[in-house]
Amino acid sequence: SMKDVPTEFPEGLGLVVTTEREDPRDAFISDGVKFSELRHGARIGTSALRRQAQLLKARPDLEMVIIRGNVETRIRKLKEENLDAVILAAAGLNRLGFTDVITELLSVDFSIPAIGQGALGLECRLDDAATIEAISFMNHPETAAAVIAERALLKRCEGGCQVPIAAHGIVSGDTLRLVGFIASVDGSRTVRDEVSGKAAEAGQLGVHLADALLASGGREILQEVYKRELSAGNV
């Protein structure tokens, strides 16, 4: 799952295949109540600071509850922990056959996905030409370009998978549109921007957007987040 792959690979290894992206959206799971219908102070289960920040930006009254475990465990916690809703990646739910539990799919404009969300990747020895050739048919160029841009943004921001950074790229023809987002954990401070350019220059576009976000206040936000996580022993 590309959203869980570090931006740095060990020497001699690299990402050689990125499969066509599944649904990149976040899935909202409740007892039938949509996000816009949530009661004041509703309790939402999530494991991602990215999701937490974006939902709190829209609804500061929400109470965020950190949940862990596999997909089935997190779904069960909706009732076990008396939550109003839980948020999971739609791609994982679809692949595991849990599509029917989804109450609502949150748009990528409302809840920008995690870097690489919905895409799968294959890592390989870079000098193993035979294996690279054998698996190359699984590569999806449009998804690969989008993920390259998203990962370049994350790397430039020096972020990991558990920081409130989001990015989503879409390729149309030869053009790549990339949206990026940096936020404080409580969603009170956010920076959002986008860039478009040649898909063949995906990596440069990611770096360019990251620099713009950092210069617009993202650097200060991230420094505050990292300081908080360090003091909490999470880094």
Side-chain angles (χ1 to χ4, degrees):
S1 179
M2 287 309 304
K3 74 185 184 72
D4 299 320
V5 176
T7 55
E8 296 281 358
F9 287 98
E11 185 176 354
L13 302 178
L15 178 67
V16 298
V17 164
T18 305
T19 64
E20 185 172 4
R21 200 193 297 258
E22 238 280 9
D23 193 329
R25 292 175 290 181
D26 285 329
F28 182 83
I29 303 170
S30 70
D31 285 331
V33 176
K34 293 185 177 181
F35 181 81
S36 62
E37 301 168 340
L38 285 172
R39 66 181 179 86
H40 184 84
R43 303 176 73 239
I44 310 299
T46 178
S47 62
L49 295 180
R50 167 194 64 84
R51 291 182 182 125
Q52 175 176 315
Q54 293 186 91
L55 296 183
L56 286 174
K57 181 178 188 298
R59 286 281 304 271
D61 62 289
L62 297 177
E63 178 187 348
M64 292 300 175
V65 180
I66 300 300
I67 57 173
R68 305 291 185 191
N70 60 30
V71 170
E72 292 180 85
T73 298
R74 296 185 194 196
I75 292 173
R76 286 201 309 270
K77 289 190 176 183
L78 178 65
K79 289 183 170 57
E80 291 176 352
E81 298 197 16
N82 195 30
L83 302 175
D84 291 274
V86 296
I87 313 291
L88 296 171
L93 292 167
N94 291 342
R95 290 185 179 119
L96 293 171
F98 290 111
T99 306
D100 60 331
V101 305
I102 298 173
T103 303
E104 180 181 16
L105 291 167
L106 304 179
S107 76
V108 294
D109 289 323
F110 176 74
S111 184
I112 302 172
I115 279 71
Q117 184 161 310
L120 302 178
L122 287 175
E123 181 180 353
C124 182
R125 295 192 308 276
L126 297 178
D127 62 358
D128 189 346
T131 298
I132 292 173
E133 182 180 359
I135 63 178
S136 63
F137 74 94
M138 289 186 282
N139 190 60
H140 189 254
E142 290 83 2
T143 302
V147 171
I148 286 171
E150 294 164 15
R151 286 169 57 80
L153 181 148
L154 183 65
K155 183 177 180 180
R156 186 71 161 190
C157 292
E158 299 181 348
C161 61
Q162 283 299 322
V163 291
I165 298 175
H168 183 57
I170 298 178
V171 174
S172 178
D174 296 328
T175 301
L176 168 63
R177 173 177 175 260
L178 181 67
V179 176
F181 176 85
I182 297 174
S184 58
V185 176
D186 63 2
S188 63
R189 299 171 61 197
T190 64
V191 180
R192 175 177 174 150
D193 204 347
E194 67 176 77
V195 66
S196 293
K198 296 179 181 178
E201 300 174 352
Q204 296 96 307
L205 288 173
V207 170
H208 177 73
L209 181 55
D211 287 341
L213 291 169
L214 292 171
S216 299
R219 179 173 287 104
E220 290 74 21
I221 292 173
L222 288 177
Q223 287 173 346
E224 186 177 298
V225 171
Y226 294 143
K227 182 178 179 180
R228 171 178 170 167
E229 289 296 290
L230 186 62
S231 64
N234 295 327
V235 176

